């Protein structure tokens, strides 16, 4: 069942990215263009997602176990370290350059355009470099 | 500042679906969704590899299923040079792995847990993203 859940959740997430237009880099760049022609739409993507995810997380986090797994796995790292800040700065710079973050980038592979493929391959290279550096 | 192209209804609807996906994945599989984590773990870790792979396949099926149901084609435009795409891709991959999260992992899953790390990460990458777009506009 874990596998079916993963596939279905991926599909729902991907459709959400399409409907919200977060899959479109122009839309993302419009959201980041605060000082000129600002498109605030993507703030509503976050609000929509948090309205659902926040209560569900807090209602279920103290239950014994998830429906199809033996235990919940929730990040425990609470350190506010350099890696968190430096990583976020790198990510923000890359995000602002093109308007793609990991979810929309992978989802946009469905559209078979070369730019998405180049971006995703580079992103995976970035994952690999981070692994080697750490 | 001018407000342009504002589409709050579709943004909110899409956001609710994303939230539903995060909520279901947590209740059923017990994990918090972070796409940079799922993608990089698929690459480097044997743990949950099939689940991670299927999630990524689901993401890619999303636009195809949407087009099938709605009859509307999904179009995006990426206007950039090859070299800029590569630089940005590496920055996004490296940065999200170093900080252990991206827009979904920190911005949604982390903030829904009220994680201070995620709140700080989200503020940082948003501000740097805004700054990057500002600088790009000047150059």
């Amino acid at each position: 069942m874990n596998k079916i859940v993963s596939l279905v959740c991926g599909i729902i997430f991907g459709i959400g990215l399409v409907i919200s237009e977060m899959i479109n880099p122009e839309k993302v760049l419009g959201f980041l263009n605060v000082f000129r022609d600002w498109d605030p739409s993507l703030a509503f993507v976050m609000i929509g997602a948090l309205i659902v995810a926040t209560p569900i997380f807090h209602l279920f986090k103290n239950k014994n176990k998830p429906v199809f797994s033996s235990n919940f796995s929730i990040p425990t790292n609470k350190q506010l370290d350099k890696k968190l800040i430096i990583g976020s700065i790198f990510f923000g710079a890359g995000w602002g350059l093109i308007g793609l973050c990991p979810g929309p980038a992978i989802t946009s592979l469905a559209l078979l355009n070369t730019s998405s493929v180049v971006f995703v391959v580079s992103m995976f290279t970035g994952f690999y470099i981070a692994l080697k550096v750490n | 500042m001018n407000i342009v192209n504002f589409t709050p209804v579709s943004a909110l609807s899409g956001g609710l679906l994303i939230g539903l996906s995060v909520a279901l994945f947590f209740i059923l599989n017990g994990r918090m969704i972070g796409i940079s984590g799922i993608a990089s773990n698929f690459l480097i870790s044997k743990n949950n590899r099939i689940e991670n792979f299927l999630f990524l396949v689901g993401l890619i099926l999303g636009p195809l299923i949407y087009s099938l149901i709605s009859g509307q084609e999904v179009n995006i435009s990426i206007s950039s040079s090859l070299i800029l795409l590569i630089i940005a891709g590496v920055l996004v991959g490296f940065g999200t792995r170093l900080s252990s999260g991206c827009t979904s992992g920190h911005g949604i899953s982390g903030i829904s847990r009220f994680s201070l790390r995620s709140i700080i990460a989200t503020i940082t990458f948003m501000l740097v993203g805004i700054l990057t777009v500002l600088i790009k506009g000047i150059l």
Side-chain angles (χ1 to χ4, degrees):
Chain A
M1 280 310 288
N2 274 303
K3 297 181 178 63
I4 297 170
V5 171
S6 300
L7 183 69
V8 172
C9 284
I11 293 172
I12 297 173
F13 203 111
I15 293 176
L17 289 174
V18 172
I19 291 178
S20 65
E21 287 185 73
M22 184 127 190
I23 191 176
N24 190 355
E26 298 261 311
K27 194 80 181 164
V28 175
L29 294 177
F31 172 67
L32 295 174
N33 197 8
V34 176
F35 295 107
R36 293 189 203 87
D37 296 322
W38 190 39
D39 173 1
S41 309
L42 294 194
F44 286 73
V45 182
M46 207 160 171
I47 292 168
L50 287 174
I51 287 173
V52 182
T54 309
I56 294 290
F57 173 78
H58 292 277
L59 277 172
F60 284 83
K61 66 176 178 184
N62 293 323
K63 302 260 183 220
N64 286 339
K65 66 182 213 53
V67 179
F68 300 123
S69 295
S70 53
N71 57 288
F72 284 108
S73 120
I74 299 168
T76 51
N77 186 354
K78 290 203 169 13
Q79 260 194 314
L80 302 173
D81 51 8
K82 269 193 217 152
K83 276 201 268 183
L84 182 76
I85 304 298
I86 295 170
S88 299
I89 291 172
F90 275 102
F91 168 42
W95 193 36
L97 277 179
I98 305 290
L100 280 172
C101 55
I106 293 170
T107 306
S108 73
L109 290 175
L111 311 176
L112 300 174
N113 68 63
T114 329
S115 300
S116 296
V117 178
V118 171
F119 185 90
V120 170
V121 171
S122 310
M123 184 175 84
F124 273 90
T125 311
F127 291 153
Y128 195 72
I129 296 171
L131 180 76
K132 288 292 152 195
V133 169
N134 272 322
Chain B
M1 190 224 297
N2 307 306
I3 303 281
V4 294
N5 305 325
F6 189 34
T7 53
V9 177
S10 57
L12 192 69
S13 320
L16 291 170
L17 278 179
I18 292 170
L20 176 71
S21 168
V22 172
L24 284 176
F25 203 64
F26 183 67
I27 298 171
L28 301 174
N29 281 5
R31 292 164 62 200
M32 295 298 281
I33 288 179
I35 295 178
S36 60
I38 289 177
S40 63
N41 282 329
F42 162 69
L43 183 71
I44 60 178
S45 163
K46 287 201 177 88
N47 289 339
N48 298 315
R49 184 167 262 166
I50 299 171
E51 283 84 353
N52 289 338
F53 175 71
L54 288 172
F55 183 88
L56 300 175
V57 170
L59 279 183
I60 298 171
L61 289 176
L64 307 175
I65 293 173
Y66 172 83
S67 291
L68 217 66
I69 296 170
S70 69
Q72 284 176 318
E73 226 181 296
V74 181
N75 278 314
I76 62 168
S77 53
I78 304 176
S79 50
S80 187
S81 64
L82 188 67
I83 184 75
L84 213 56
L85 277 169
I86 294 173
I87 294 171
V90 172
L91 284 172
V92 168
F94 180 78
T96 53
R97 210 62 317 258
L98 197 67
S99 67
S100 312
C102 55
T103 339
S104 54
H106 282 311
I108 297 166
S109 295
I111 292 183
S112 78
R113 294 188 289 115
F114 308 139
S115 152
L116 185 60
R117 259 175 71 81
S118 291
I119 293 168
I120 289 176
T122 305
I123 292 171
T124 308
F125 66 66
M126 290 247 176
L127 287 178
V128 176
I130 289 168
L131 195 68
T132 307
V133 169
L134 183 69
I135 294 170
K136 240 181 16 173
I138 295 167
L139 293 177

